Amino acid sequence: MRHLLLSLILWCCALTVSAQTVNQVRQRVNTVAAQMKTMECDFVQTKTVRMLNSKLISRGKMYYQQTGKLRWQYLSPYQYTFVLNGNQVKLKSQGRNDVINVEQNKMFKEITRIMMNSVLGKCVDSSRDFKVALSGSGNNWKALMTPQSKTMKQMFQSISVVFNYQRGTVSAVQLVEKNGDKTVIVLKNVKSNQPLHADLFSIR
């Protein structure tokens, strides 16, 4: 479960801003998310393991399509694919395919919901999962998400989502786990509202 959420799912210097500006940022991000029919991008994930004092770097592709479709695919140094389509999830690794019905697994249902909200930037509003504090200026903004639910508290100290105000889209995310390990995911070459092949989200 943790591996899936780290996939993502996932984004600066903290500055004090007026409530009016914060509300404008929230509105901007939510408006762009509502208008985004599709999105595709490359990502680079860097995980720092505290006890080993080492960094693990992996690369891949991400695809999103309204409504409820997401493909997160690691291409190097290993191959692993997560596909969400409606209430079904497919996990593909080393030639093995596993299909899970999200509605029959409460934990998976919560994780997939958080993943989708993080990709679109909908996490800028506080929820039962996280308390969110927005900070920044100009085009550079950060949402610091502090876990509130029991499940999230067991996994993370915090999640920081960085996004560009002008584009209204997520550009990076940092996850700090309970044990101090950190994962940073940077989105690159983002393309939105372009046709995507249906096979990308196939569960078969």
Side-chain angles (χ1 to χ4, degrees), residues 19-51:
Q20 181 180 1
T21 301
V22 168
N23 289 335
Q24 289 173 345
V25 172
R26 285 196 170 103
Q27 183 177 7
R28 171 64 176 166
V29 174
N30 287 330
T31 297
V32 171
Q35 295 174 345
M36 188 174 293
K37 307 300 181 184
T38 67
M39 181 173 72
E40 63 178 296
C41 68
D42 303 315
F43 70 82
V44 178
Q45 175 180 298
T46 303
K47 179 165 185 175
T48 303
V49 181
R50 183 177 60 86
M51 292 189 66

Side-chain angles (χ1 to χ4, degrees), residues 112-124 129 170:
T112 54
R113 179 177 58 81
I114 293 170
M115 287 180 68
M116 191 67 73
N117 287 343
S118 298
V119 167
L120 296 177
K122 291 183 178 180
C123 55
V124 295
D129 303 300
V170 172

Side-chain angles (χ1 to χ4, degrees), residues 35-166:
Q35 295 174 345
M36 188 174 293
K37 307 300 181 184
T38 67
M39 181 173 72
E40 63 178 296
C41 68
D42 303 315
F43 70 82
V44 178
Q45 175 180 298
T46 303
K47 179 165 185 175
T48 303
V49 181
R50 183 177 60 86
M51 292 189 66
L52 300 178
N53 194 27
S54 63
K55 293 184 177 181
L56 308 174
I57 300 176
S58 53
R59 293 175 170 80
K61 298 277 294 186
M62 188 275 287
Y63 303 88
Y64 160 81
Q65 180 175 307
Q66 284 188 347
T67 55
K69 296 180 181 180
L70 179 70
R71 180 187 182 97
W72 194 277
Q73 184 174 10
Y74 289 91
L75 299 174
S76 67
Y78 55 88
Q79 295 188 353
Y80 179 90
T81 303
F82 168 93
V83 178
L84 168 65
N85 191 332
N87 62 359
Q88 289 189 307
V89 166
K90 179 175 75 174
L91 308 176
K92 182 177 180 180
S93 177
Q94 298 179 343
R96 175 179 173 178
N97 289 344
D98 294 309
V99 177
I100 300 170
N101 188 324
V102 174
E103 294 299 325
Q104 296 176 358
N105 188 312
K106 183 178 179 181
M107 175 69 76
F108 240 97
K109 186 175 182 179
E110 291 299 297
I111 287 176
T112 54
R113 179 177 58 81
I114 293 170
M115 287 180 68
M116 191 67 73
N117 287 343
S118 298
V119 167
L120 296 177
K122 291 183 178 180
C123 55
V124 295
D125 295 312
S126 295
S127 68
R128 66 178 184 272
D129 303 300
F130 300 96
K131 179 179 180 181
V132 181
L134 273 174
S135 61
S137 64
N139 280 327
N140 299 311
W141 285 81
K142 179 176 72 174
L144 176 61
M145 304 162 58
T146 304
Q148 299 296 295
S149 68
K150 181 179 180 180
T151 301
M152 294 298 104
K153 285 182 178 180
Q154 290 174 344
M155 298 174 66
F156 298 104
Q157 294 182 28
S158 67
I159 300 176
S160 298
V161 179
V162 179
F163 51 93
N164 180 282
Y165 176 80
Q166 183 177 10

